[in-house]
Amino acid sequence: MNIAAPDVVVALTGAPLTVLIIIAVASLTTVIVRFLISRTIRGLIATEAKGLRLAPEKLGVAPNPRRKQRLETLRTVLISTMTALIGSVAVLMILTTLGVNVAPLIASAGVVGIAVAFGAQALVKDVITGGFMLIEDQYGVGDRVELGTGGGILASGVVEEVGLRITLIRDDDGRRWYVRNGEILRVANLTQGWAYAVVELRVTRTTDLTLARTTLSELTTQMRNEDLYADVVSHLEPECLINEVTADLVALTWRVRVSADHDQPVASELRHRIAVAFAERGIELAP
């Protein structure tokens, strides 16, 4: 049976052609949207880097490497969302072109969506919380943090990766923790701005406290004047706190303000120097 030429033309230029056009337009739209989002985000990154490089003294801030990470994460999320949206619209248009009644599908999708929403509340909570963490710059890769709930600590250590759903933490024992962002209610960031190098001391009750404090102050000043610690130890006066006084001992806390993430190395070096200096000056440490 021969098919007339007009029937062939109609068959080729009917629904199949429309479907091809929809696919082509959807693909082109996706490419354009991805390009525009990527160009915009990368433009923001380049603009900030250029401004900080040309006039950092006017801006009064240092380059923030975490901003690039947040913008890159935002770019990925926007591209994924727009791709899914464009693909969904294209599928519905194709089904309509092929004569499929999409109204029941849309209604069913709504019911399924509600069911999925109830089942995915934790996932949605994780993603939303992760988004706000990135926007607010609560922490970033390389920061030393303590992540906690309302009643305890989830994990503590160095941040290795920050995502919308989970945060990866490497603790001091080398273990890698995968923490859901939705579980994080408190964040203690030990890396932003500044920190305290804290040294706890217990000296005998008969110790000359003035001599002890003078020795601690001299050791701190000595470290501050060394090239290795000149940019680390603050010029603010350290704090000496008396935490406990008993018949046998006096408990002291020596707090030195240092640059962020240098509290532990400075405290360790101070303990070493204190042990040597106290022994030389006859200051006896309590057991």
Side-chain angles (χ1 to χ4, degrees):
M1 179 177 181
N2 296 327
I3 301 177
D7 294 336
V8 175
V9 174
V10 171
L12 293 178
T13 58
L17 181 60
T18 304
V19 170
L20 290 176
I21 293 175
I22 293 174
I23 294 175
V25 172
S27 301
L28 180 61
T29 303
T30 301
V31 172
I32 294 174
V33 168
R34 290 170 63 94
F35 171 77
L36 291 176
I37 292 175
S38 298
R39 182 175 181 179
T40 301
I41 297 298
R42 289 169 182 167
L44 291 174
I45 296 174
T47 299
E48 183 191 36
K50 181 179 179 181
L52 291 173
R53 185 172 63 251
L54 294 178
E57 69 283 352
K58 294 182 180 180
L59 296 175
V61 294
N64 188 351
R66 289 196 295 272
R67 177 175 170 81
K68 180 179 179 181
Q69 178 192 5
R70 297 198 307 273
L71 290 174
E72 288 290 350
T73 303
L74 179 61
R75 181 180 70 86
T76 302
V77 172
L78 289 177
I79 289 177
S80 300
T81 303
M82 294 304 298
T83 300
L85 180 61
I86 295 171
S88 300
V89 173
V91 169
L92 290 177
M93 294 178 64
I94 290 173
L95 292 177
T96 302
T97 301
L98 296 177
V100 178
N101 186 6
V102 298
L105 293 177
I106 295 176
S108 300
V111 175
V112 173
I114 294 175
V116 171
F118 278 110
Q121 290 183 30
L123 176 62
V124 173
K125 181 181 179 182
D126 293 341
V127 172
I128 293 176
T129 304
F132 277 108
M133 286 179 176
L134 289 169
I135 293 173
E136 296 170 357
D137 192 23
Q138 296 181 14
Y139 54 80
V141 174
D143 285 0
R144 175 172 289 276
V145 298
E146 290 183 358
L147 307 180
T149 61
I153 296 178
L154 283 172
S156 63
V158 178
V159 180
E160 288 194 339
E161 184 177 336
V162 181
L164 283 179
R165 193 177 71 85
I166 61 173
T167 295
L168 275 59
I169 303 291
R170 181 77 65 177
D171 67 14
D172 294 335
D173 295 328
R175 295 173 296 185
R176 200 181 199 195
W177 293 81
Y178 294 78
V179 182
R180 286 175 41 205
N181 293 331
E183 296 181 348
I184 302 172
L185 298 182
R186 300 181 303 173
V187 177
N189 195 320
L190 308 178
T191 310
Q192 289 181 344
W194 53 272
Y196 276 122
V198 180
V199 178
E200 302 285 349
L201 300 170
R202 294 159 61 93
V203 297
T204 59
R205 182 67 180 83
T206 57
T207 296
D208 185 346
L209 296 182
T210 301
L211 176 61
R213 295 181 64 173
T214 301
T215 302
L216 293 173
S217 181
E218 290 176 356
L219 293 175
T220 304
T221 302
Q222 180 184 6
M223 287 185 64
R224 186 187 300 125
N225 293 332
E226 296 176 2
D227 293 338
L228 183 61
Y229 298 100
D231 296 329
V232 174
V233 179
S234 172
H235 288 271
L236 294 178
E237 187 67 24
E239 298 179 2
C240 184
L241 307 177
I242 299 179
N243 300 323
E244 184 182 0
V245 178
T246 68
D248 301 321
L249 60 87
V250 177
L252 304 175
T253 297
W254 185 252
R255 298 201 312 178
V256 181
R257 187 160 170 170
V258 297
S259 300
D261 204 27
H262 289 84
D263 52 323
Q264 295 187 20
V266 171
S268 177
E269 179 62 21
L270 269 175
R271 293 188 189 99
H272 170 73
R273 301 190 184 199
I274 288 170
V276 175
F278 275 25
E280 292 176 349
R281 301 187 181 188
I283 302 175
E284 186 177 355
L285 295 173

